[in-house]
Amino acid sequence: MINKEELRDKRREFLKSSALIAGGVLLNQFAFAGGHSSTDDTIKIALIGCGDRGTGAAFQALSTTANVKLVAMADAFQDRMDNSYKVLSDKFKDKVDVPKERRFIGFDAYQKAITLADVVLLVTPPGFRPTHFEEAVKQGKHVFMEKPVAVDAPGIRRVLAAAEIAKQKKLNVVVGLQRRYQTNYRETMKRIQDGAIGEIYSGQVYWNSGGVWVKKRQPEQTEMEYQMRNWYYFNWLCGDHIVEQHVHNIDIANWVKGAYPVSVQGTGSRAWRTGKDYGEIYDNHAVELTYADGAVIYSQCRHFEGTENRVDESFQGTKGRTYLSAGNHGVLWDHKGKEIFSHPTKGNKNPYQTEHDELFAAISKGEFKFSDAERGAKSCFTSIIGRYATYSGQTIKWDDALKADNSLFPDQLSWTANPKLMPDANGLYPIPTPGKTKVI
């Protein structure tokens, strides 16, 4: 039985060596630039993105049983940094060691913070994720990154390339598609994969709700600051809610099928959220995901106030059907309607916490266990293709979309630079028009 001293040595060696290529082959473009230099067994964490979700992710990382310490933080905005630091330092007095000189502000702040850590939490608006993930892998760091991992095809290609390097370096990567870490989904999925309801030939996945927050434009803001503060409504930052939010349900469709769609078609519009406060995105999308075996899964998401909410997934197989939801539901029936499995809805662990518990447990034990980046990227890309389909009114094929050279990211990042999408004289942004808008 391994003792604590041996486990500590194993962990130290793992944190040092995981950034190096297995077999001693050096990849020059991702050469090791960091590593674990601590003289004890403390796992150092850097938080990149100090908004509400970033603060929550740090809270969960610091709540694990691993010997962890937050040592660096980075954000574009000082007020977000200050609020996050206060919340975390008040709650975790002994686990937060981030003096002012390690609280970095600005567009390049992520590079400085990543250097100081063993594990990085990437929780900025998703448009920045490919750049930040590349840097974390380059510096040899283990990663937790929130979904989505990109907002366009060029970003997905970058994440997929970095994911391959991360696997070769044996870097653990967890993506915040937390249903993958939720007990009812895991238990139900085991039975589906064992053939309990046969081959899946159809399904329906939903995220219908009243929408999310809006940040009003302030007189002193530049266009860059306004879009970053109100990031949910601009595709270079968010990807539209079919990508930022509905990716959770679309990921379940791909998990159930054990595959990714070969083509997507659908429709969408702005029916409710039509004013200047809502940027460029649609408020509803309805798409069909077609898989190589002919299975078709229907996907629907909307942000309509005052309408019925629905966030769940259903699938039909050759031997039965299933229903799943984030409310811990997981039920299987045969074709006669007889219940063959039902997961208890009470007493389940918080999946947001579980993904951090399992990530930091693996790192503490010196194990390479998680490589979520590839499947996370492909489910995000499924959602992106859904947006391409609704914006254009065309059937979009996976292989064609993946080749697209349509980066949404600004040519320059600074507070005085303009994003690619700008408002007109009335403060309104160009809206995609099916039949006219070109997406790939």
Side-chain angles (χ1 to χ4, degrees):
M1 181 176 179
I2 189 169
N3 61 38
K4 290 184 179 180
E5 192 70 32
E6 290 171 327
L7 180 60
R8 186 179 298 113
D9 290 342
K10 181 182 178 183
R11 178 164 55 245
R12 288 177 187 166
E13 184 60 31
F14 176 61
L15 288 166
K16 290 177 183 178
S17 64
S18 58
L20 302 176
I21 301 305
V25 179
L26 178 65
L27 294 183
N28 291 329
Q29 70 271 38
F30 283 95
F32 177 60
H36 186 65
S37 59
S38 184
T39 56
D40 57 24
D41 64 346
T42 303
I43 300 171
K44 297 181 178 180
I45 300 171
L47 173 61
I48 316 300
C50 300
D52 293 342
R53 182 65 199 110
T55 304
F59 189 102
Q60 286 139 12
L62 295 172
S63 297
T64 67
T65 59
N67 185 6
V68 297
K69 183 167 287 189
L70 182 66
V71 300
M73 301 171 70
D75 199 274
F77 295 111
Q78 185 69 57
D79 60 309
R80 302 300 277 175
M81 169 74 72
D82 293 345
N83 181 69
S84 182
Y85 175 75
K86 183 179 187 309
V87 169
L88 294 171
S89 59
D90 285 350
K91 177 64 178 179
F92 300 98
K93 292 182 174 60
D94 297 330
K95 293 185 176 182
V96 175
D97 179 18
V98 193
K100 287 186 177 181
E101 61 269 22
R102 295 206 296 269
R103 290 177 235 160
F104 304 104
I105 300 295
F107 290 108
D108 63 349
Y110 70 99
Q111 295 171 314
K112 302 167 187 175
I114 288 172
T115 300
L116 300 172
D118 305 309
V119 183
V120 296
L121 312 179
L122 303 181
V123 209
T124 62
F128 293 98
R129 199 86 72 243
T131 300
H132 295 175
F133 182 52
E134 281 181 342
E135 184 66 21
V137 172
K138 177 182 177 181
Q139 292 197 32
K141 313 300 182 176
H142 302 280
V143 173
F144 168 82
M145 59 177 171
E146 259 302 348
K147 56 76 212 167
V149 301
V151 299
D152 53 30
I156 290 292
R157 292 197 299 270
R158 292 172 66 185
V159 171
L160 288 172
E164 282 301 308
I165 306 303
K167 285 192 288 187
Q168 293 177 43
K169 288 187 172 185
K170 295 189 177 354
L171 299 172
N172 284 292
V173 180
V174 166
V175 173
L177 292 165
Q178 79 281 346
R179 284 163 173 76
R180 298 269 184 160
Y181 292 82
Q182 190 163 332
T183 307
N184 61 307
Y185 281 90
R186 285 175 162 179
E187 291 300 316
T188 306
M189 201 63 64
K190 285 179 187 177
R191 290 159 175 81
I192 292 173
Q193 291 170 341
D194 287 342
I197 59 173
E199 296 296 319
I200 304 298
Y201 61 84
S202 68
Q204 303 78 37
V205 298
Y206 300 91
W207 193 305
N208 292 339
S209 70
V212 298
W213 47 265
V214 172
K215 303 292 177 66
K216 294 288 186 180
R217 187 188 293 271
Q218 301 302 313
E220 72 279 3
Q221 288 177 334
T222 65
E223 184 62 27
M224 181 67 76
E225 180 177 353
Y226 170 70
Q227 291 195 18
M228 286 185 60
R229 292 281 190 183
N230 211 39
W231 62 268
Y232 204 94
Y233 299 96
F234 298 95
N235 285 328
W236 75 273
L237 289 161
C238 166
D240 205 319
H241 66 101
I242 190 175
V243 177
E244 200 283 332
Q245 193 175 61
H246 191 38
V247 64
H248 285 296
N249 317 99
I250 288 174
D251 180 55
I252 299 306
N254 291 336
W255 191 8
V256 166
K257 284 299 299 174
Y260 302 95
V262 295
S263 68
V264 181
Q265 73 86 27
T267 188
S269 69
R270 284 164 68 101
W272 181 273
R273 300 187 133 202
T274 58
K276 65 179 69 176
D277 291 339
Y278 304 113
E280 64 177 318
I281 71 171
Y282 281 3
D283 59 18
N284 66 97
H285 302 261
V287 304
E288 291 178 347
L289 313 175
T290 299
Y291 294 80
D293 63 359
V296 177
I297 292 177
Y298 174 72
S299 153
Q300 183 184 109
C301 61
R302 69 172 182 240
H303 282 176
F304 292 173
E305 295 179 22
T307 60
E308 180 182 10
N309 289 354
R310 182 172 183 179
V311 182
D312 57 27
E313 305 89 23
S314 299
F315 302 95
Q316 296 77 46
T318 54
K319 295 167 56 180
R321 58 190 175 89
T322 185
Y323 172 79
L324 294 146
S325 81
N328 290 316
H329 293 95
V331 187
L332 298 170
W333 298 272
D334 66 17
H335 271 324
K336 294 182 179 180
K338 179 183 178 182
E339 186 177 279
I340 55 179
F341 171 75
S342 180
H343 183 81
T345 58
K346 295 183 178 180
N348 293 282
K349 294 181 179 179
N350 180 341
Y352 293 92
Q353 187 61 52
T354 299
E355 57 193 359
H356 287 271
D357 288 344
E358 294 187 5
L359 170 63
F360 283 93
I363 295 170
S364 295
K365 295 173 184 176
E367 297 175 348
F368 172 53
K369 189 174 180 180
F370 299 102
S371 54
D372 290 359
E374 179 180 351
R375 66 168 174 76
K378 289 182 177 179
S379 281
C380 288
F381 192 52
T382 307
S383 299
I384 290 168
I385 299 176
R387 185 186 79 225
Y388 290 168
T390 60
Y391 281 12
S392 68
Q394 306 296 323
T395 297
I396 305 296
K397 295 182 178 180
W398 179 284
D399 291 341
D400 293 339
L402 192 57
K403 299 173 186 175
D405 187 18
N406 57 346
S407 175
L408 302 176
F409 208 73
D411 296 325
Q412 179 185 355
L413 281 178
S414 78
W415 294 121
T416 56
N418 286 328
K420 291 181 178 179
L421 187 83
M422 296 291 290
D424 64 18
N426 296 315
L428 296 169
Y429 294 88
I431 306 304
T433 304
K436 296 181 179 180
T437 297
K438 305 295 184 183
V439 294
I440 60 173

